[in-house]
Amino acid sequence: GYDLELTKAVCKAVNIPVIASGGAGKKEDFATVLKTGADAALAASVFHYGELTIKSVKSYLRTQSVEIRL
């Protein structure tokens, strides 16, 4: 998963949008990191290798009350 402690610390330390990078292995990882205060979460390999779809992640995030762009 993402480095949650580091992401939380960065979110508290800066007044600019924070994009968490590196660590998405399952859809739950996205919800967890976005609840740290990160504005966005970067992921590549889970989509490139077909492990997840963007649509499935967005659907899951909606069920977790995480605000997303449509």
Side-chain angles (χ1 to χ4, degrees), residues 2 6-7 9 13 25-28 37 40-41 46 50 55 57-59 63 65 69:
Y2 294 94
L6 177 61
T7 304
K26 55 189 184 292
K27 60 188 173 187
E28 293 83 2
V46 292
K55 183 177 180 177
V57 172
K58 285 185 172 188
S59 293
T63 70
S65 300
R69 288 190 284 173

Side-chain angles (χ1 to χ4, degrees), residues 2 24 26-28 30-31 34 41-63 66 68-70:
Y2 294 94
K26 55 189 184 292
K27 60 188 173 187
E28 293 83 2
F30 290 93
L34 291 170
L42 180 72
S45 62
V46 292
F47 299 125
H48 291 301
Y49 295 115
E51 297 168 25
L52 296 172
T53 65
I54 294 170
K55 183 177 180 177
S56 70
V57 172
K58 285 185 172 188
S59 293
Y60 175 76
L61 292 174
R62 280 190 218 96
T63 70
V66 176
I68 60 163
R69 288 190 284 173
L70 298 175

Side-chain angles (χ1 to χ4, degrees), residues 1-18:
Y2 294 94
D3 187 334
L4 302 176
E5 294 306 314
L6 177 61
T7 304
K8 284 181 200 175
V10 171
C11 290
K12 287 181 182 179
V14 301
N15 292 317
I16 58 172
V18 173

